[in-house]
Amino acid sequence: IMQTRQLSVLARVFSERLRKTIREELGQSYSPYVYNRPSLIYNGYGVMHVRVNVKPGSQQVVLDTVRQIAASLEKGDISTLETRNALKPVLTHLKTLRQTNGYWLNSVMAGSSRFPEKLDWARNIMTGYGKVDNRDLIGLAAKYLSFKDRAVVVVLPEN
């Protein structure tokens, strides 16, 4: 679960880099984002998605930019401040979320008979996320953000 949490924070760091570069500097997309999707079924498997909607014709410059950002992260260019900035809204959201019935019913209790560890995950979610630091993210970025074995999907309009 700690790796899943760390990968989620890494996805937020990646998303923020995309926002600053692709949206603010290049003006190519309004809301690029990255999210981590771990598998509950297959241990050690998951997918990190990078999603950027762009107008046709600008996909190559955006893809090159995504690759550059991933390469920078992969090389360890993740600061403590960047990690803290990514974590702050996560911790705020989790604090609020834990006070709702929907979280406990739909996230924790749902499937807990099959995955009883979900109860422990809920108990230590705040302290777990609170322990994430940039060294964790640097290690995971080096392991998982290489583009050599990654799938790239570009969807273009018919015309």
Side-chain angles (χ1 to χ4, degrees):
I1 192 65
M2 273 309 294
Q3 180 171 291
T4 296
R5 291 170 179 166
Q6 292 162 349
L7 285 167
S8 294
V9 176
L10 178 60
R12 290 191 63 94
V13 169
F14 201 163
S15 288
E16 185 61 10
R17 295 259 185 108
L18 289 176
R19 185 191 64 77
K20 286 179 180 176
T21 307
I22 294 174
R23 177 180 169 176
E24 293 180 8
E25 292 175 20
L26 300 177
Q28 293 293 327
S29 179
Y30 185 75
S31 56
Y33 63 93
V34 181
Y35 62 95
N36 178 50
R37 179 71 42 97
S39 174
L40 277 174
I41 306 301
Y42 301 106
N43 191 23
Y45 179 79
V47 178
M48 186 169 288
H49 295 262
V50 176
R51 183 166 179 147
V52 185
N53 294 327
V54 299
K55 68 179 182 181
S58 61
Q59 66 270 11
Q60 192 57 53
V61 70
V62 170
L63 182 57
D64 292 343
T65 302
V66 170
R67 284 186 171 134
Q68 289 167 2
I69 293 169
S72 173
L73 294 169
E74 181 187 10
K75 290 177 184 165
D77 180 24
I78 304 170
S79 72
T80 301
L81 179 61
E82 194 172 27
T83 302
R84 270 193 242 134
N85 288 342
L87 265 172
K88 188 175 179 179
V90 171
L91 293 171
T92 300
H93 174 71
L94 289 173
K95 186 177 179 182
T96 303
L97 188 67
R98 292 183 73 215
Q99 297 172 1
T100 66
N101 288 336
Y103 166 72
W104 292 101
L105 291 173
N106 300 323
S107 294
V108 179
M109 298 307 292
S112 63
S113 61
R114 185 169 180 201
F115 302 102
E117 60 271 21
K118 289 176 83 175
L119 300 170
D120 288 330
W121 297 348
R123 282 188 205 100
N124 67 34
I125 194 167
M126 296 301 289
T127 57
Y129 270 102
K131 291 178 184 177
V132 175
D133 69 22
N134 68 313
R135 292 175 304 231
D136 300 321
L137 305 187
I138 288 168
L140 291 173
K143 185 174 182 178
Y144 293 115
L145 293 186
S146 169
F147 256 74
K148 67 180 179 195
D149 296 323
R150 303 303 178 242
V152 176
V153 177
V154 177
V155 179
L156 297 172
E158 189 173 337
N159 294 329

mmCIF file of all heavy atoms in Angstrom, residues 14 18 22 50 52 61-71 147:
data_model
loop_
_atom_site.group_PDB
_atom_site.id
_atom_site.type_symbol
_atom_site.label_atom_id
_atom_site.label_comp_id
_atom_site.label_asym_id
_atom_site.label_seq_id
_atom_site.Cartn_x
_atom_site.Cartn_y
_atom_site.Cartn_z
ATOM 1 N N PHE A 14 3.945 14.693 -11.296
ATOM 2 C CA PHE A 14 3.970 14.623 -12.751
ATOM 3 C C PHE A 14 2.865 15.515 -13.335
ATOM 4 O O PHE A 14 3.094 16.292 -14.263
ATOM 5 C CB PHE A 14 3.786 13.164 -13.171
ATOM 6 C CG PHE A 14 4.249 12.796 -14.555
ATOM 7 C CD1 PHE A 14 4.447 11.458 -14.864
ATOM 8 C CD2 PHE A 14 4.469 13.729 -15.554
ATOM 9 C CE1 PHE A 14 4.853 11.062 -16.129
ATOM 10 C CE2 PHE A 14 4.881 13.357 -16.826
ATOM 11 C CZ PHE A 14 5.071 12.017 -17.110
ATOM 12 N N LEU A 18 3.163 18.755 -15.823
ATOM 13 C CA LEU A 18 2.435 18.859 -17.090
ATOM 14 C C LEU A 18 1.639 20.162 -17.152
ATOM 15 O O LEU A 18 1.643 20.852 -18.176
ATOM 16 C CB LEU A 18 1.476 17.684 -17.264
ATOM 17 C CG LEU A 18 2.067 16.311 -17.532
ATOM 18 C CD1 LEU A 18 0.959 15.273 -17.587
ATOM 19 C CD2 LEU A 18 2.887 16.292 -18.795
ATOM 20 N N ILE A 22 2.813 22.210 -20.215
ATOM 21 C CA ILE A 22 1.921 22.067 -21.368
ATOM 22 C C ILE A 22 0.817 23.118 -21.376
ATOM 23 O O ILE A 22 0.479 23.669 -22.419
ATOM 24 C CB ILE A 22 1.361 20.636 -21.440
ATOM 25 C CG1 ILE A 22 2.508 19.664 -21.726
ATOM 26 C CG2 ILE A 22 0.264 20.523 -22.489
ATOM 27 C CD1 ILE A 22 2.134 18.216 -21.679
ATOM 28 N N VAL A 50 -1.004 8.957 -18.337
ATOM 29 C CA VAL A 50 -0.803 10.376 -18.616
ATOM 30 C C VAL A 50 -1.838 10.723 -19.675
ATOM 31 O O VAL A 50 -1.897 10.084 -20.724
ATOM 32 C CB VAL A 50 0.611 10.658 -19.170
ATOM 33 C CG1 VAL A 50 0.762 12.133 -19.543
ATOM 34 C CG2 VAL A 50 1.674 10.233 -18.178
ATOM 35 N N VAL A 52 -3.545 13.847 -21.950
ATOM 36 C CA VAL A 52 -3.474 15.224 -22.409
ATOM 37 C C VAL A 52 -4.339 15.350 -23.656
ATOM 38 O O VAL A 52 -4.095 14.667 -24.655
ATOM 39 C CB VAL A 52 -2.027 15.643 -22.750
ATOM 40 C CG1 VAL A 52 -1.966 17.116 -23.104
ATOM 41 C CG2 VAL A 52 -1.062 15.318 -21.617
ATOM 42 N N VAL A 61 4.494 17.610 -30.416
ATOM 43 C CA VAL A 61 5.197 18.503 -29.483
ATOM 44 C C VAL A 61 4.790 18.196 -28.046
ATOM 45 O O VAL A 61 5.622 18.209 -27.136
ATOM 46 C CB VAL A 61 4.991 19.996 -29.834
ATOM 47 C CG1 VAL A 61 3.568 20.449 -29.569
ATOM 48 C CG2 VAL A 61 5.970 20.863 -29.064
ATOM 49 N N VAL A 62 3.534 17.856 -27.831
ATOM 50 C CA VAL A 62 3.069 17.526 -26.488
ATOM 51 C C VAL A 62 3.642 16.182 -26.045
ATOM 52 O O VAL A 62 4.110 16.047 -24.913
ATOM 53 C CB VAL A 62 1.524 17.537 -26.426
ATOM 54 C CG1 VAL A 62 1.027 16.967 -25.106
ATOM 55 C CG2 VAL A 62 1.015 18.956 -26.631
ATOM 56 N N LEU A 63 3.649 15.201 -26.921
ATOM 57 C CA LEU A 63 4.233 13.904 -26.590
ATOM 58 C C LEU A 63 5.716 14.049 -26.258
ATOM 59 O O LEU A 63 6.209 13.471 -25.286
ATOM 60 C CB LEU A 63 4.030 12.912 -27.738
ATOM 61 C CG LEU A 63 4.548 11.501 -27.521
ATOM 62 C CD1 LEU A 63 3.932 10.868 -26.273
ATOM 63 C CD2 LEU A 63 4.255 10.636 -28.734
ATOM 64 N N ASP A 64 6.436 14.839 -27.034
ATOM 65 C CA ASP A 64 7.850 15.087 -26.740
ATOM 66 C C ASP A 64 8.021 15.748 -25.373
ATOM 67 O O ASP A 64 8.938 15.422 -24.621
ATOM 68 C CB ASP A 64 8.481 15.960 -27.825
ATOM 69 C CG ASP A 64 8.599 15.246 -29.167
ATOM 70 O OD1 ASP A 64 8.498 14.001 -29.206
ATOM 71 O OD2 ASP A 64 8.781 15.946 -30.190
ATOM 72 N N THR A 65 7.139 16.669 -25.052
ATOM 73 C CA THR A 65 7.195 17.350 -23.755
ATOM 74 C C THR A 65 6.914 16.383 -22.620
ATOM 75 O O THR A 65 7.598 16.404 -21.594
ATOM 76 C CB THR A 65 6.200 18.532 -23.726
ATOM 77 O OG1 THR A 65 6.524 19.424 -24.801
ATOM 78 C CG2 THR A 65 6.255 19.276 -22.411
ATOM 79 N N VAL A 66 5.928 15.518 -22.783
ATOM 80 C CA VAL A 66 5.627 14.510 -21.764
ATOM 81 C C VAL A 66 6.852 13.621 -21.553
ATOM 82 O O VAL A 66 7.226 13.331 -20.408
ATOM 83 C CB VAL A 66 4.389 13.662 -22.154
ATOM 84 C CG1 VAL A 66 4.230 12.456 -21.231
ATOM 85 C CG2 VAL A 66 3.139 14.522 -22.147
ATOM 86 N N ARG A 67 7.491 13.219 -22.629
ATOM 87 C CA ARG A 67 8.693 12.385 -22.521
ATOM 88 C C ARG A 67 9.813 13.117 -21.787
ATOM 89 O O ARG A 67 10.516 12.520 -20.971
ATOM 90 C CB ARG A 67 9.164 11.953 -23.909
ATOM 91 C CG ARG A 67 8.328 10.872 -24.493
ATOM 92 C CD ARG A 67 8.917 10.378 -25.810
ATOM 93 N NE ARG A 67 8.199 9.197 -26.238
ATOM 94 C CZ ARG A 67 7.772 8.994 -27.465
ATOM 95 N NH1 ARG A 67 8.006 9.885 -28.419
ATOM 96 N NH2 ARG A 67 7.123 7.892 -27.767
ATOM 97 N N GLN A 68 9.977 14.403 -22.070
ATOM 98 C CA GLN A 68 11.018 15.194 -21.391
ATOM 99 C C GLN A 68 10.740 15.301 -19.890
ATOM 100 O O GLN A 68 11.649 15.175 -19.074
ATOM 101 C CB GLN A 68 11.109 16.591 -22.004
ATOM 102 C CG GLN A 68 11.692 16.611 -23.391
ATOM 103 C CD GLN A 68 11.481 17.962 -24.094
ATOM 104 O OE1 GLN A 68 10.924 18.893 -23.522
ATOM 105 N NE2 GLN A 68 11.930 18.048 -25.337
ATOM 106 N N ILE A 69 9.493 15.531 -19.543
ATOM 107 C CA ILE A 69 9.128 15.631 -18.131
ATOM 108 C C ILE A 69 9.344 14.287 -17.437
ATOM 109 O O ILE A 69 9.912 14.225 -16.340
ATOM 110 C CB ILE A 69 7.675 16.121 -17.973
ATOM 111 C CG1 ILE A 69 7.566 17.572 -18.453
ATOM 112 C CG2 ILE A 69 7.206 15.987 -16.527
ATOM 113 C CD1 ILE A 69 6.144 18.069 -18.598
ATOM 114 N N ALA A 70 8.914 13.211 -18.070
ATOM 115 C CA ALA A 70 9.113 11.872 -17.493
ATOM 116 C C ALA A 70 10.606 11.583 -17.314
ATOM 117 O O ALA A 70 11.017 11.046 -16.285
ATOM 118 C CB ALA A 70 8.454 10.810 -18.369
ATOM 119 N N ALA A 71 11.406 11.959 -18.301
ATOM 120 C CA ALA A 71 12.859 11.734 -18.218
ATOM 121 C C ALA A 71 13.472 12.528 -17.071
ATOM 122 O O ALA A 71 14.346 12.031 -16.351
ATOM 123 C CB ALA A 71 13.519 12.097 -19.538
ATOM 124 N N PHE A 147 10.420 5.545 -20.715
ATOM 125 C CA PHE A 147 9.516 5.415 -21.862
ATOM 126 C C PHE A 147 9.848 4.217 -22.744
ATOM 127 O O PHE A 147 9.119 3.911 -23.676
ATOM 128 C CB PHE A 147 9.554 6.701 -22.710
ATOM 129 C CG PHE A 147 8.347 7.563 -22.502
ATOM 130 C CD1 PHE A 147 8.209 8.293 -21.343
ATOM 131 C CD2 PHE A 147 7.352 7.626 -23.449
ATOM 132 C CE1 PHE A 147 7.104 9.084 -21.135
ATOM 133 C CE2 PHE A 147 6.237 8.411 -23.255
ATOM 134 C CZ PHE A 147 6.111 9.137 -22.093
#
